[in-house]
């Protein structure tokens, strides 16, 4: 299935338009504080897969140990076919949340940790938000990936948990875009939350202006609005 997707990707647009303002990004450009996987073989294989698919990774990742990472727009299961290899190509470790009960089996726990799953106990102080904040408070390097749309279908609003997580943990927000028009995984400038969500959200929305998802009709309303405002 993956090879078909890659062939389809090349067939649809042999020479897609590219970002003129964002440079190519590779693992050598990541600083020493950024969470890394530490694997030598995976980046080589992943880079080859991305190249075969006609995709590339662009932008910049600040040399910081912690951030809330936004993965947008997310309109298809196929998004991971391109997004995951981009992370392995960079040797970048972005974690996602998983139930703590999955980690009771030692062998499975090791695999989940390697993949980047962070165990979250929903009973911890009564909320997933607090449990997530506590993970950052340990001081360990952590890029925690979230999808504020909360669905692969159209949604009127984003879930605001990612914002209050960043505020509570005292970490910046790193917007990442998956653009099917340019075939780019785009790492964009950090947003440092001020605590005023009404003022900060437009700054995040604006960075996704012009980004085209696999299914444009499923684009969330905030991103539709930011595109309309630019017309």
């Amino acid at each position: 299935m993956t090879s078909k997707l890659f062939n389809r990707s090349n067939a649809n647009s042999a020479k897609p338009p590219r970002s003129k303002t964002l440079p190519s990004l590779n693992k050598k450009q990541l600083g020493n504080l950024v969470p890394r996987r530490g694997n030598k073989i995976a980046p080589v294989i992943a880079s080859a897969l991305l190249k075969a698919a006609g995709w590339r990774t662009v932008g910049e990742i600040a040399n910081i140990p912690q951030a809330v990472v936004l993965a947008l727009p997310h309109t298809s299961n196929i998004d991971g076919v391109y997004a995951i290899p981009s992370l392995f190509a960079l040797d970048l470790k972005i974690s996602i949340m998983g139930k703590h009960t999955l980690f009771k089996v030692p062998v499975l726990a090791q695999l989940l940790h390697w993949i980047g799953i962070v165990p979250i106990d929903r009973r911890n102080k009564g909320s997933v938000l607090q449990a997530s904040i506590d993970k950052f408070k340990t001081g360990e390097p952590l890029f925690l990936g979230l999808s504020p749309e909360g669905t692969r279908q159209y949604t009127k609003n984003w879930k605001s948990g990612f914002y209050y997580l960043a505020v509570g943990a005292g970490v910046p927000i790193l917007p990442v875009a998956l653009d099917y028009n340019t075939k780019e995984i785009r790492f964009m400038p950090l947003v440092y939350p001020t605590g005023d969500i009404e003022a900060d959200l437009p700054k995040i929305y604006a960075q996704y202006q012009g980004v085209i998802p696999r299914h444009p009709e499923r684009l969330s309303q905030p991103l539709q609005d930011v595109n309309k405002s630019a017309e």
Side-chain angles (χ1 to χ4, degrees):
M1 178 179 177
T2 301
S3 62
K4 292 181 179 179
L5 289 170
F6 283 6
N7 291 335
R8 174 183 174 181
S9 177
N10 285 327
N12 284 347
S13 180
K15 294 183 179 181
R18 297 301 197 186
S19 297
K20 297 180 180 180
T21 58
L22 296 176
S24 295
L25 180 63
N26 61 63
K27 69 173 186 175
K28 294 181 180 179
Q29 296 168 305
L30 268 60
N32 62 310
L33 299 180
V34 175
R36 306 291 287 268
R37 291 187 171 276
N39 190 295
K40 295 182 179 180
I41 298 177
V44 176
I45 297 174
S47 295
L49 289 174
L50 278 179
K51 185 176 181 180
W55 282 69
R56 68 171 188 162
T57 306
V58 301
E60 182 179 0
I61 300 175
N63 190 23
I64 56 174
Q66 296 185 332
V68 171
V69 182
L70 302 188
L72 294 157
H74 183 31
T75 64
S76 169
N77 284 328
I78 303 304
D79 295 343
V81 173
Y82 308 115
I84 293 175
S86 75
L87 301 183
F88 278 89
L90 292 174
D91 193 35
L92 175 64
K93 186 175 182 179
I94 294 183
S95 301
I96 59 175
M97 295 184 291
K99 293 181 179 180
H100 73 288
T101 53
L102 296 173
F103 291 77
K104 290 184 177 182
V105 180
V107 176
L108 178 59
Q110 291 181 354
L111 175 62
L112 294 175
H113 278 299
W114 182 81
I115 293 173
I117 308 298
V118 175
I120 294 293
D121 188 347
R122 293 179 179 274
R123 301 168 299 179
N124 187 14
K125 297 185 181 180
S127 73
V128 173
L129 176 60
Q130 185 60 54
S132 301
I133 291 174
D134 289 345
K135 290 295 180 183
F136 281 106
K137 293 298 184 180
T138 65
E140 294 294 323
L142 176 62
F143 275 21
L144 185 61
L146 299 172
S147 180
E149 292 163 318
T151 176
R152 292 183 298 277
Q153 303 300 320
Y154 165 82
T155 183
K156 186 176 181 180
N157 299 297
W158 288 7
K159 295 181 180 297
S160 59
F162 79 91
Y163 182 84
Y164 294 109
L165 169 56
V167 171
V171 300
I173 297 168
L174 174 59
V176 180
L178 191 73
D179 192 336
Y180 279 79
N181 183 45
T182 60
K183 290 187 178 179
E184 291 173 339
I185 294 90
R186 209 173 290 163
F187 286 81
M188 301 180 291
L190 294 172
V191 174
Y192 287 85
T194 64
D196 184 348
I197 190 171
E198 297 300 328
D200 291 342
L201 280 182
K203 300 174 187 176
I204 299 172
Y205 296 155
Q207 296 203 45
Y208 290 91
Q209 181 180 315
V211 172
I212 306 299
R214 184 174 178 85
H215 297 292
E217 71 280 4
R218 299 180 185 176
L219 193 65
S220 61
Q221 193 60 51
L223 298 189
Q224 289 189 33
D225 291 342
V226 77
N227 285 336
K228 290 178 182 178
S229 66
E231 294 177 353

